[in-house]
Every structure is written in C-alpha cells, then in structure tokens.
Amino acid sequence: MKLYGTPPTRVLRVIWLLNELGLEYEQVPVDLLQGEHLQPDFLALNPAARVPVLVDGDQIITESAAIQLYLAEKYPQAGFIPSAVEERAQMYRWIFFLMTEIEPPLWRIARHTFLYPDEKRLPQDVNQARQECREMLAVLERHMQEREYLIGDRLSVADFNAAYTLDWANEENLLDAAPRLREYLKTMYARPTAPPTIAIAFAAMES
C-alpha cells in the first residue's frame, strides 16, 4: 500500500486513519512547490493533480474522504463505519458538511493569503471567507454540545475527517467562538495514533 502526498496537506487525514487501523504503508512524498504533482507519472495516478492518492494493489483512490471511507470499509473490524444505516447517513452528512461548507472557505483564505501570487490575491475575499467559515463552524459547535463524537457513541470516519479540518480552522484562529470544538480537537489530537498537527508539519517543512 502506497500513500502519495506530503504533510501538511490532506494526506494527514489519511495517515491518521492508517495509523488507527495499524496498517503498514509506504509514504511517497510529492513536492507540490516543485511541481511534482504535475509530472506524467503522478498525473497517471490522479489526472486532477491533487494529493493524497492511495494505491492499494490494483486500486487507485483519490480524494481524502473517499480514501478514508475505503479503508474503514475494507477493515470493518475497527468499527469506524456505523452498522446502522441511519448512523451511516449521519456520518456521510457530516463528512459532506465538512468538505463542502467548512473546507472551501479555508481554501479561499489560503489562496488569497499565500498560495496565489500577490497580484491575484483579493483581501476582501479573505474577510468574506472567514465570516462564512465561522458561520458553518457555529453549526458544528451546536451539534457537538454534549457529544463526545460526531456520530453516535463511538469514533467514525467523520471524526478523523473533522479533526484535520478543525485543526486547519484553528490555525486560522477561527475557533475562538467554539469552545466545544477546541476541546474536541484537543481530545482527538491526544490520541496516540494522531499525526502531527498542521502547525508542527509546517514547522518541520521549514526546518
């Protein structure tokens, strides 16, 4: 099993689940700054030129949430996929919510603060994205009141997805009005299988 991608990208989501499942895998670095994701060998794996990519035998799987769900379904003994269809529906609901409502404004902030060249950055879009992200984080904050996990009474794929996304939001100082999410994030990263936080991964890259 090979996992293509380099922290602090979404590859951290997948690393966490691989660690939780106790699976052996080879991590293949992909230097985005050097354009390695645009090389023919990588594009043959993912024409969208995005990381992470999981290669498991003949299976090539892209999109971090899809990889997480694949791994959890392939190794059901861990119980990260709820058995009841109702709880699975709620798991999908919150994964999609994280990926479509919270992560996109985080990407807009990143693009207009350091990813885009100066002449393409729109400071006003950063402010709008921060407001939109706070509004959606407030929805999740209300959901997590009196809850230990996103779904039911045990860990699911949604929790590993949420922890990475919330860590990213925390790096942008967007959890100041979300004390329950900050507590939840701290608990998740206290797990012995947790990967480095985004801040630690960035620091390692810079060193």
Side-chain angles (χ1 to χ4, degrees), residues 166-177:
L166 293 175
D167 186 27
W168 188 356
N170 194 46
E171 285 301 302
E172 294 295 336
N173 299 311
L174 293 171
L175 297 185
D176 52 320

Side-chain angles (χ1 to χ4, degrees), residues 63-74:
E63 304 300 327
S64 58
I67 296 171
Q68 288 178 310
L69 289 165
Y70 167 78
L71 290 170
E73 290 195 28
K74 184 173 181 178

Side-chain angles (χ1 to χ4, degrees), residues 99-110:
M99 302 294 289
T100 63
E101 301 293 347
I102 295 180
E103 190 167 293
L106 291 171
W107 272 113
R108 283 164 56 199
I109 293 168

